[in-house]
Amino acid sequence: MSTTSQPRRIIYPGTFDPITHGHEDLVRRAAQLFDEVVVAIASETPKNPIFPLAERVALATETLTGIPGVRVRTFSGLLIHLLQEEKTHLILRGLRAISDFEHEFQLASINRRMDAQIETLFLMTSDQHTFLSSSLVREISRLGGDVSAFVHPAVASALKRHFRNGVDLSHSEK
């Protein structure tokens, strides 16, 4: 794809708690546009993830296996430092609805303020994933619902284990 000696790399940051078919769809589509898509899983997040970092990485890796040019890694601290480390200035973000845009626009603006080289590229989610969010998947699973239509089988199994009988085991078994 790239005509220069340096590959075109884009960073797709997030908590991925859990990774969904919506995330996977964005990664697949971005992999067609870039030499490398780095799925960067945040180790520090105010979101209180249900899965520990290592499990989020393992689930993302399993979900994204087979997509050429995709790499999963963790990061901590500021996203701009990760971009510098990965020698890129491109961030991928997905948009489901106009409500996503406000928050994403704010993040893109502040990142660009901190480093004028940064570009945030937005991809609209595919129609079948516009309603899908990790928090919705977690809630359905917590209430004993079947999430297999929304996530990779390994993620569905992990959620089922995590929410045995509708009980959140994140603090009692880890």
Side-chain angles (χ1 to χ4, degrees):
M1 262 188 175
S2 181
T3 57
T4 64
S5 61
Q6 191 148 5
R8 291 187 336 181
R9 176 179 301 130
I10 193 162
I11 307 295
Y12 183 22
T15 352
F16 302 100
D17 184 48
I19 190 165
T20 68
H21 286 327
H23 296 124
E24 180 183 0
D25 176 62
L26 285 178
V27 170
R28 282 185 189 285
R29 291 169 46 217
Q32 294 174 1
L33 302 171
F34 295 90
D35 298 318
E36 186 176 24
V37 178
V38 179
V39 176
I41 302 178
S43 63
E44 301 163 348
T45 174
K47 292 184 179 180
N48 258 347
I50 63 166
F51 291 118
L53 182 61
E55 191 166 7
R56 287 184 281 141
V57 168
L59 292 170
T61 301
E62 186 164 351
T63 298
L64 302 172
T65 293
I67 305 174
V70 174
R71 178 166 46 96
V72 177
R73 65 159 294 174
T74 63
F75 78 102
S76 62
L78 290 173
L79 180 57
I80 63 167
H81 296 152
L82 173 66
L83 293 169
Q84 292 164 352
E85 181 184 325
E86 289 284 347
K87 297 178 177 36
T88 187
H89 61 276
L90 301 172
I91 301 169
L92 172 66
R93 298 302 293 163
L95 295 176
R96 293 169 299 189
I98 200 73
S99 57
D100 285 349
F101 181 75
E102 259 186 79
H103 178 70
E104 295 297 343
F105 181 78
Q106 186 179 28
L107 293 176
S109 296
I110 198 72
N111 282 328
R112 195 157 205 200
R113 252 328 244 197
M114 290 189 291
D115 181 343
Q117 297 291 316
I118 292 176
E119 294 289 349
T120 301
L121 303 175
F122 298 103
L123 278 181
M124 297 298 298
T125 58
S126 297
D127 290 343
Q128 69 268 30
H129 302 302
T130 55
F131 64 91
L132 189 55
S133 71
S134 292
S135 57
L136 186 57
V137 167
R138 286 191 311 269
E139 186 65 7
I140 292 168
S141 186
R142 185 183 70 78
L143 295 171
D146 179 11
V147 295
S148 60
F150 312 123
V151 295
H152 185 278
V155 176
S157 292
L159 284 164
K160 199 175 274 188
R161 279 190 310 276
H162 183 83
F163 293 118
R164 278 193 210 122
N165 302 320
V167 176
D168 183 346
L169 301 174
S170 60
H171 301 294
S172 61
E173 285 193 356
K174 290 184 183 172

